[in-house]
Amino acid sequence: MVLRTFGWSFGVTAAGLVFAAYFWGWTGFAVVAILSILEISLSFDNAVVNAGILRKMNAFWQKIFLTIGIMIAVFGMRLVFPVVIVAVSAEMGPIEAVRLAMKDPTRYEQLVTNAHPSIAAFGGMFLLMIFLNFIFDEREHKWLGWIERPLSKLGSINGLSVCVALIILLTTATTLATTAHQYGGVHVDKTSTVLLSGIAGLITYLIVGGLSGHFEDKLEEEEEREHEAEEAAKRSGKQPTALGVAGKAAFFLFLYLEVLDASFSFDGVIGAFAITNQIFWMALGLGIGAMYVRSLTVYLVRQGTLDDYVFLEHGAHYAIGALAAILLITIKWEIHEVITGLIGVSLIALSFWSSVRHNRAVVSHGGGGEGNSPAKSQVTSGV
């Protein structure tokens, strides 16, 4: 079962790492491996949410999501999107950006480094909003209760996440951006660039979150109609269908899943800029990670159960918060990419271990403890 589901992912991983080591040496190998792990870690809850929605759909729409959907996720968001970010930031065409990266990597590195303040501000604000909306949300399970309990109470204040994000952006622009790091160790004033890029990142998050909310509302409406139809069938003595959601409902589910997946891939793609500016390393590492997200989604659907480690989502979002902070700090100071990657991986590992201890405690108390059994705990996207 595991080999059949993850076989393609294992094959892509082996080929990708060998390719990285052959062409870019052990540094490229290490960075691609870290990006792969980071993408898998940040997208674990994405796979869980996808599986929970995907199992409601009929076989046809499941195949659509797992074929067309993965093409959009891997080739669209992980390969094309980084090229677009670099091209826009460096003010050149996408083809020219790729050609420059291949023929004149030194000049390409200079352009990307000089554009880093705008990339960091855009990505930092997008990631920061994901983290803030998670930390201000009231949740059944709390990993670091001494932090999460008071902040979840403050979350009832409308617009608090946006307000905090704007304060952080203003502080960053008036402090770090006044002496932004540029190629060759030069420092220049990038205050206006950081402000505009940060606001663009905030707007992008609000648009993606708004679309997700719109499709989620559509999904709830369709589920309510489906429930009413089932009740009517029972009253009339007919057996309600169990074929899975199809038609318009499945189409809305598909759209919702694509917007949701795009919002999750934003944090992976944008967060990758905190680790490396090498576009080919980024595309290869994120592509490998995206394959595992797809395989994990398929595995959860085929198993018919969602193995729930209740604090993994917390670890992923704390990793997102750490990446947001690192991106904003790197506007002025350089931080080694290995340190950045290890911070995220360490947070995921700690949250996983906390989840294992929690599950053991629940078992030792005969299924009691905080909330229901671990397998029934609600997992949300945080977007």
Side-chain angles (χ1 to χ4, degrees):
M1 176 65 173
V2 173
L3 185 60
R4 183 163 63 94
T5 304
F6 289 88
W8 276 102
S9 297
F10 293 153
V12 170
T13 301
L17 291 178
V18 169
F19 183 88
Y22 181 79
F23 285 98
W24 304 311
W26 290 112
T27 301
F29 177 91
V31 172
V32 169
I34 289 174
L35 285 171
S36 303
I37 294 172
L38 184 65
E39 174 73 2
I40 295 167
S41 301
L42 294 180
S43 299
F44 179 86
D45 50 352
N46 186 16
V48 174
V49 173
N50 284 352
I53 298 174
L54 193 63
R55 62 181 179 175
K56 300 178 184 179
M57 302 166 70
N58 64 15
F60 172 78
W61 281 99
Q62 287 184 0
K63 290 180 180 179
I64 291 294
F65 175 74
L66 296 174
T67 52
I68 297 177
I70 194 60
M71 290 177 63
I72 296 173
V74 173
F75 296 102
M77 295 305 301
R78 271 77 173 188
L79 298 181
V80 177
F81 184 60
V83 174
V84 172
I85 288 181
V86 172
V88 171
S89 300
E91 299 180 354
M92 64 175 59
I95 297 177
E96 185 182 356
V98 173
R99 185 179 300 147
L100 186 65
M102 296 176 62
K103 294 185 177 181
D104 190 357
T106 302
R107 174 60 177 163
Y108 174 82
E109 181 183 358
Q110 178 182 350
L111 290 173
V112 173
T113 302
N114 291 341
H116 180 74
S118 59
I119 296 172
F122 180 93
M125 292 304 295
F126 188 92
L127 294 173
L128 181 63
M129 283 298 298
I130 294 176
F131 172 71
L132 290 176
N133 277 337
F134 178 86
I135 204 69
F136 285 137
D137 191 20
E138 179 63 41
R139 297 180 181 280
E140 178 185 358
H141 297 285
K142 293 176 174 60
W143 184 30
L144 304 178
W146 58 280
I147 295 177
E148 295 170 15
R149 288 191 186 95
L151 291 180
S152 63
K153 293 179 181 179
L154 292 174
S156 59
I157 302 175
N158 292 331
L160 180 62
S161 297
V162 176
C163 182
V164 171
L166 287 173
I167 291 173
I168 292 175
L169 175 62
L170 182 61
T171 302
T172 301
T174 55
T175 55
L176 301 181
T178 56
T179 52
H181 173 74
Q182 297 285 270
Y183 186 80
V186 180
H187 290 80
V188 299
D189 189 350
K190 290 277 187 176
T191 301
S192 59
T193 300
V194 168
L195 276 174
L196 289 174
S197 300
I199 291 173
L202 178 61
I203 292 173
T204 301
Y205 173 84
L206 294 175
I207 291 174
V208 171
L211 286 173
S212 297
H214 171 74
F215 290 130
E216 189 172 8
D217 291 341
K218 290 290 185 181
L219 169 60
E220 291 176 355
E221 292 174 5
E222 292 297 332
E223 286 181 337
E224 186 176 348
R225 293 193 192 101
E226 182 184 1
H227 179 70
E228 292 174 354
E230 288 179 355
E231 292 297 322
K234 290 179 181 179
R235 287 194 298 269
S236 62
K238 299 179 180 179
Q239 282 291 101
T241 180
L243 295 177
V245 178
K248 187 168 69 172
F251 177 69
F252 280 126
L253 277 172
F254 177 75
L255 292 179
Y256 173 62
L257 279 171
E258 288 305 307
V259 173
L260 188 65
D261 187 72
S263 65
F264 273 95
S265 64
F266 265 120
D267 59 30
V269 172
I270 295 171
F273 280 104
I275 297 176
T276 181
N277 285 329
Q278 294 292 331
I279 193 169
F280 296 110
W281 297 5
M282 187 187 308
L284 184 57
L286 296 180
I288 292 173
M291 288 296 298
Y292 279 97
V293 175
R294 180 257 186 191
S295 296
L296 183 58
T297 300
V298 174
Y299 179 79
L300 293 173
V301 171
R302 287 176 176 173
Q303 286 292 98
T305 182
L306 300 178
D307 297 326
D308 190 10
Y309 292 91
V310 295
F311 300 128
L312 267 180
E313 186 184 11
H314 295 72
H317 282 84
Y318 278 107
I320 290 173
L323 282 174
I326 288 171
L327 276 170
L328 296 178
I329 291 172
T330 55
I331 291 175
K332 183 173 183 178
W333 295 292
E334 291 186 85
I335 297 178
H336 198 280
E337 55 217 16
V338 174
I339 296 176
T340 304
L342 288 177
I343 289 175
V345 172
S346 299
L347 287 168
I348 294 297
L350 287 172
S351 65
F352 176 79
W353 175 239
S354 297
S355 301
V356 172
R357 293 181 60 190
H358 169 81
N359 292 345
R360 289 175 180 173
V362 170
V363 173
S364 65
H365 287 82
E370 185 179 3
N372 296 326
S373 66
K376 295 182 179 180
S377 301
Q378 183 181 5
V379 179
T380 58
S381 66
V383 174

